Amino acid sequence: MNINLVHGENHHQNASIEPHDNIIDYQVNGELTYIQVLSLLKGLSLMSEFYDVKAACTIKGSGICAAALGQSLADAVQKVMDSNPIDFLNSVIVVSSEVDSEIARFLKNTNVIAAPSYTKNALEILDTKGIAYVTIKTPLKDYKQYLSDEVKTTPLGTLIQSPNLSNLDKDTFKVVSKQKPTTEQIEDAVFAWKVAKHCSSQAIVVAKDLKTAAIAQGLQSASVEFALDYSCDMSKDAILASDMLISTHDINVASQGRIGLVIVPDAGKEIISLADKYNMVLITTGITNILY
C-alpha cells in the first residue's frame, strides 16, 4: 500500500512511498515528510551496524547529528542528547532496541522515532505528545539483506551502483604507529569508523567512550578543524575517524586537540612519522567510504 507523505523535500512538492518486492516489515504511526523518510533510512543503516548492542542516533535530513552506545538504551539516548542537544530537538531518532517510558519522556512532538518495539507505557506517552513513531518489525541484523542497488534517474541517464556493504577487515586493519592502542581505544575506533561510514563525504567523526563528540560532514575543506572546534575539550584522548586521506596539517590540528588515536583509510610515511612524533596511535583500514 502506498504511503502519502506530508510533502516532498519542499512544501510545494508531492511525495509518497511506493512498495516493491523487497521491503522490510514496518508500521508508521503518524505523518512523515520526504526528508524524515530519508533520515529514517540513514538511521536504520547506521543502527544495522549495532543491532546487537544498545545504540541510538539522531539524524536531520541525510546527516547524522550524533550517535552513541550505552549500558542501556536510555543511557545511549542520553549520550546522544548530550552530544548534540540542539539538533536533538527536531531530529529523527533511531534506536536498536525497545523504547520504554523513560525514553519516551525525553521526546518532543517535533521528533520522529523508530525502534523495533515499544512498551505500552511508551506508546501512551508518544500518542499523548503527538509524536510520530515507526515500528521496525524486521530484525535490524537482517536489514542489510534488504539493501538493493542504488538507482537515480537523471537527464544523463540512470545511475546505478551496488550498496556500500564495507566492513573492517582484520587483514587490512593495521596499527602503523609506534604507539599501540588500548582495548578501549580499539572499541572507540571501530565505533567512530562505523559512524563515519554512514556520514556524507569528507566525514570526520570525533568520538570517546562510545559517543560522538563531533561530526563534520559534507564540507569542502577544514573538516578536521571544524570537528575539533565543535568537540572542544571532549577531543582530549578521543578518537578521530576520517573517511578520506588526511594531510600533515590535519595531524597537526589533531595533535593540538590532543586526539589520542586517528583511524584513516591509508597513510604515507610522512603522516606516520608525524603521528609518532606526537605519540599518537594511527590505524589504517584499507577502506575508503565516501557518500555524497
Side-chain angles (χ1 to χ4, degrees), residues 141-178:
K141 66 182 179 64
D142 298 329
Y143 181 79
K144 292 180 183 179
Q145 299 175 20
Y146 291 84
L147 296 176
S148 55
D149 287 351
E150 298 166 9
V151 180
K152 187 175 179 64
T153 303
T154 79
L156 296 178
T158 302
L159 283 170
I160 302 174
Q161 71 169 351
S162 59
N164 181 3
L165 299 176
S166 63
N167 283 306
L168 290 175
D169 186 333
K170 62 181 177 61
D171 294 326
T172 57
F173 185 93
K174 297 178 181 177
V175 178
V176 295
S177 57
K178 293 178 181 177

Side-chain angles (χ1 to χ4, degrees), residues 5 38 108 156 188-189 241 249:
L5 303 176
L38 293 182
K108 306 295 183 184
L156 296 178
D188 275 338
H249 173 72

Side-chain angles (χ1 to χ4, degrees), residues 71-218:
Q71 294 295 319
S72 66
L73 186 60
D75 179 36
V77 173
Q78 183 69 59
K79 282 183 174 182
V80 163
M81 188 161 52
D82 291 344
S83 176
N84 191 335
I86 295 176
D87 286 327
F88 185 92
L89 294 174
N90 298 293
S91 66
V92 172
I93 303 160
V94 184
V95 299
S96 65
S97 58
E98 186 172 71
V99 169
D100 61 18
S101 58
E102 181 181 2
I103 295 166
R105 290 191 182 96
F106 286 150
L107 309 183
K108 306 295 183 184
N109 60 7
T110 50
N111 291 129
V112 172
I113 187 164
S117 60
Y118 305 83
T119 65
K120 181 180 178 180
N121 288 342
L123 290 177
E124 291 173 353
I125 293 170
L126 295 176
D127 288 334
T128 299
K129 291 184 174 183
I131 296 170
Y133 56 92
V134 182
T135 307
I136 307 300
K137 300 179 181 180
T138 298
L140 283 173
K141 66 182 179 64
D142 298 329
Y143 181 79
K144 292 180 183 179
Q145 299 175 20
Y146 291 84
L147 296 176
S148 55
D149 287 351
E150 298 166 9
V151 180
K152 187 175 179 64
T153 303
T154 79
L156 296 178
T158 302
L159 283 170
I160 302 174
Q161 71 169 351
S162 59
N164 181 3
L165 299 176
S166 63
N167 283 306
L168 290 175
D169 186 333
K170 62 181 177 61
D171 294 326
T172 57
F173 185 93
K174 297 178 181 177
V175 178
V176 295
S177 57
K178 293 178 181 177
Q179 188 78 5
K180 303 306 175 188
T182 64
T183 300
E184 290 77 12
Q185 284 180 316
I186 290 288
E187 291 176 350
D188 275 338
V190 171
F191 166 75
W193 181 87
K194 287 182 176 182
V195 175
K197 170 185 171 181
H198 295 279
C199 292
S200 300
S201 63
Q202 310 282 47
I204 299 293
V205 174
V206 178
K208 186 179 180 183
D209 298 329
L210 302 177
K211 164 189 169 182
T212 56
I215 298 175
Q217 56 191 320

